[in-house]
Amino acid sequence: MSSKPSHKEPAESRLRRTLAFRLAAAYSLLGLLLVLLATASLYIVLRAELDRSTGLFLADKLNVLRTILRERPDDRDALREEIQLETAARHYQQFYIRLLDDRGAPILTTPGMANQLDVAELVRRTRNGPEHSVSLTGFLGRPFRAASATAWAGSSPARRDTIQIAIDISQEVELLRRYRRWFWAIMLTSSVLFPLLGYWIARHGIRPVEQIAATARSITSTNLRERIRAEGYPSELASLAGTFNEMLDRIEESFERISRFSADIAHDLRTPVHNIRGEAEVALSRARTVDEYREVIESTLEEAVRLSELIGDLLFLARAERPLTELRRERIDVGKLLSAVRDYYEASASDAGISLVADEGAAPVTVEVDRALMLRAVSNLVSNAIAHTSAGGTVTLAARDEGSAIRIEISDTGAGIPPEALPRVFDRFFRVDPSRSTTSGGTGLGLAIVQSITTLHGGQAEIASQFGHGTSVTLRIPVLATS
Ligand SMILES: Nc1ncnc2c1ncn2[C@@H]1O[C@H](COP(=O)(O)OP(=O)(O)OP(=O)(O)O)[C@@H](O)[C@H]1O
Ligand SMILES: [Mg+2]
């Protein structure tokens, strides 16, 4: 039913809600962001480095020329040679130098400089000092970096020349352009590749979850034995699969218990009905005396009583299982309740040669409980104790106040329960020795009823037994907090 509305949902919005989509989106956004950050910062560093090395080159060159001018002010040839050597050696990078006297008239110029560069702009834009370089665009569109510096000719401060220097930086500009082109190519590839890869990784990662879901979907009451094989799963999902398997174990166990329970009910209902039917058939097979009919009716009545008791017990257990079963709580004296039970069973206990003792303790123990239910629980325990204790034994009924709870303990010196059967005695229809108990009329519901009555009161029932030496059942009922 709940999956119905999703059919109407557009496929796109359904995809957007899948875990794989969200993971893939997160991966790719993160990946793209990282690539962007890395490439952009590399670009910035590269550009700054190129600028810096060009600037250093220009400054170096200016310093060399300044030194020549200062050391040999009139050796024009040395200067020309230096300029020509520098420019002639370069094939791919144009390099221009101009030397001006203090009136601004050019003394020396690299040939062809005026064709490439707007010399007036060079004069206007370059500032004095080797460390200040500026960018210029030549006549043919080539990018240049230029700088200028004052140079003292000789040691006398009388003559002050100016050196202007410009270098073609189209290689660097081209390098940066290629870098940008690569940057966009990488970003484009990443933005296609990352989502695809991310989606694949996410799908791969959550495949075990889908397998778990598929197993869960395929399990019905007929294949409750199926389990998820978690080999090779990552540990988180292996633990999820383990939890799921444990849940299946529990479901399987309760399922088995329920089906055993129904089989037991059917069996226990069938026996008395079978007996009634058999006796009626035998009685009707020929004419009978009045006494014989009376006997049959009496035995039929006995079976009918057994049957109605059994049905009553089953109804009680079914009702007690509903969470909001109401308790008619009243304050009772537990000691008095135990005495009443003892009085009720007194006769049958003394017939069996068992002494029945109600240990009322020093102070009266009072508690707010449903009197009728508590009476039923204690009666069930005492009848069990008497049934499993032989002549000469003792059955003790005791109550103690523990402050936050009261404790009712019914102990006997009887046959005890074998340890392997002890954990199951509170189960419905469980009897340690079914053959013997059937003759004594037990159905195996007594302790189950005791337990549900205790649970209804918010308490716990515990059993301890030493096989061959006796059994003791303790009911711990919490005292209601009075406001
Ligand atoms: N005090 C006891 N000493 C020895 N065995 C006991 C004692 N109390 C219970 N048992 C064992 O536990 C089984 C379950 O007890 P329970 O009271 O639930 O069923 P029952 O007495 O057989 O039947 P019912 O009480 O429904 O008539 C009993 O069949 C008996 O074997
Ligand atoms: Mg019983």
Side-chain angles (χ1 to χ4, degrees):
M1 279 282 153
S2 59
S3 65
K4 274 249 165 94
S6 69
H7 286 309
K8 288 183 191 143
E9 233 177 321
E12 185 197 340
S13 104
R14 233 181 306 146
L15 173 71
R16 218 174 294 145
R17 280 198 294 137
T18 63
L19 182 60
F21 177 85
R22 290 179 191 185
L23 284 175
Y27 289 153
S28 15
L29 277 181
L30 200 70
L32 280 176
L33 203 70
L34 277 177
V35 171
L36 182 74
L37 266 175
T39 43
S41 53
L42 274 176
Y43 178 78
I44 291 169
V45 170
L46 180 66
R47 201 175 61 178
E49 275 306 307
L50 286 173
D51 267 3
R52 205 172 70 92
S53 68
T54 313
L56 280 179
F57 173 77
L58 290 177
D60 235 24
K61 216 69 242 168
L62 283 173
N63 283 332
V64 168
L65 294 170
R66 269 164 133 189
T67 312
I68 295 177
L69 267 176
R70 193 175 60 238
E71 300 298 326
R72 288 181 280 171
D74 299 315
D75 192 352
R76 287 289 138 105
D77 288 341
L79 213 55
R80 187 174 294 119
E81 198 178 319
E82 171 66 27
I83 291 172
Q84 277 170 357
L85 254 181
E86 185 63 53
T87 49
R90 291 173 183 269
H91 287 295
Y92 301 108
Q93 203 175 26
Q94 289 168 10
F95 182 62
Y96 299 107
I97 299 174
R98 210 156 75 111
L99 183 65
L100 308 171
D101 65 14
D102 46 3
R103 288 184 306 278
I107 305 168
L108 258 174
T109 305
T110 312
M113 182 171 184
N115 300 337
Q116 289 284 345
L117 275 167
D118 183 348
V119 182
E121 194 191 1
L122 190 65
V123 173
R124 208 170 358 96
R125 297 257 328 266
T126 49
R127 281 203 286 142
N128 205 4
E131 62 281 358
H132 301 292
S133 63
V134 292
S135 294
L136 294 176
T137 309
F139 289 135
L140 304 175
R142 278 177 176 268
F144 282 92
R145 194 114 194 125
S148 78
T150 314
W152 301 105
S155 50
S156 78
R159 229 179 81 202
R160 203 182 66 167
D161 292 348
T162 302
I163 310 166
Q164 290 176 333
I165 183 167
I167 187 166
D168 171 10
I169 53 164
S170 48
Q171 299 274 351
E172 284 89 336
V173 170
E174 179 56 25
L175 174 73
L176 290 177
R177 190 179 304 130
R178 271 208 304 276
Y179 188 102
R180 282 196 301 270
R181 221 178 297 139
W182 269 109
F183 165 78
W184 287 116
I186 288 171
M187 283 307 280
L188 207 72
T189 324
S190 308
S191 59
V192 174
L193 219 59
F194 281 5
L196 289 179
L197 267 176
Y199 192 69
W200 183 80
I201 292 172
R203 293 281 322 180
H204 189 76
I206 61 176
R207 188 162 306 143
V209 179
E210 288 174 342
Q211 282 165 356
I212 292 174
T215 313
R217 256 196 307 275
S218 74
I219 283 177
T220 63
S221 60
T222 51
N223 62 349
L224 265 179
R225 273 172 192 283
E226 216 157 280
R227 294 290 179 273
I228 297 164
R229 275 183 298 280
E231 297 104 38
Y233 281 11
S235 60
E236 299 89 337
L237 293 177
S239 109
L240 174 67
T243 311
F244 187 79
N245 283 342
E246 280 162 24
M247 187 188 79
L248 283 179
D249 287 345
R250 286 196 299 274
I251 291 178
E252 192 188 354
E253 196 192 301
S254 11
F255 204 79
E256 259 170 27
R257 226 191 3 245
I258 289 170
S259 58
R260 216 175 29 237
F261 182 46
S262 345
D264 286 341
I265 292 178
H267 178 263
D268 277 62
L269 288 177
R270 200 180 56 181
T271 314
V273 172
H274 197 79
N275 290 348
I276 291 173
R277 187 179 162 183
E279 277 166 24
E281 276 170 1
V282 170
L284 288 175
S285 60
R286 59 180 171 82
R288 305 277 174 183
T289 64
V290 172
D291 280 347
E292 280 172 332
Y293 280 129
R294 174 181 294 277
E295 216 172 274
V296 171
I297 291 172
E298 273 171 4
S299 123
T300 311
L301 189 65
E302 224 171 76
E303 294 291 354
V305 168
R306 245 185 88 177
L307 204 56
S308 83
E309 271 175 8
L310 173 64
I311 292 170
D313 282 353
L314 285 172
L315 273 177
F316 175 83
L317 280 170
R319 254 188 250 125
E321 231 158 53
R322 286 211 298 268
L324 287 175
T325 306
E326 262 185 42
L327 291 180
R328 266 178 282 156
R329 286 189 187 257
E330 53 184 307
R331 183 155 288 278
I332 62 156
D333 182 335
V334 185
K336 281 198 182 133
L337 182 112
L338 296 189
S339 301
V341 177
R342 192 215 33 216
D343 293 346
Y344 181 81
Y345 281 100
E346 184 78 81
S348 56
S350 69
D351 281 352
I354 300 164
S355 52
L356 204 54
V357 184
D359 169 9
E360 291 182 19
V365 180
T366 65
V367 68
E368 268 186 49
V369 288
D370 188 316
R371 189 173 195 282
L373 293 187
M374 207 39 75
L375 197 65
R376 186 167 188 176
V378 174
S379 302
N380 280 1
L381 294 178
V382 172
S383 97
N384 276 354
I386 292 174
H388 297 98
T389 304
S390 42
T394 311
V395 173
T396 314
L397 295 72
R400 292 283 177 275
D401 195 340
E402 292 185 332
S404 61
I406 61 134
R407 197 158 58 97
I408 299 175
E409 191 175 328
I410 313 297
S411 42
D412 61 61
T413 56
I417 300 168
E420 67 276 7
L422 206 55
R424 296 193 53 204
V425 288
F426 286 111
D427 287 358
R428 293 167 187 189
F429 289 110
F430 179 79
R431 284 162 290 196
V432 173
D433 177 4
S435 57
R436 206 196 72 173
S437 302
T438 310
T439 49
S440 70
T443 52
L445 289 176
L447 284 179
I449 289 174
V450 170
Q451 194 176 43
S452 36
I453 290 174
T454 326
T455 312
L456 276 177
H457 284 87
Q460 286 146 5
E462 278 159 23
I463 189 161
S465 184
Q466 253 194 312
F467 193 41
H469 295 284
T471 306
S472 149
V473 182
T474 309
L475 310 183
R476 199 165 266 113
I477 313 281
V479 172
L480 289 187
T482 44
S483 49

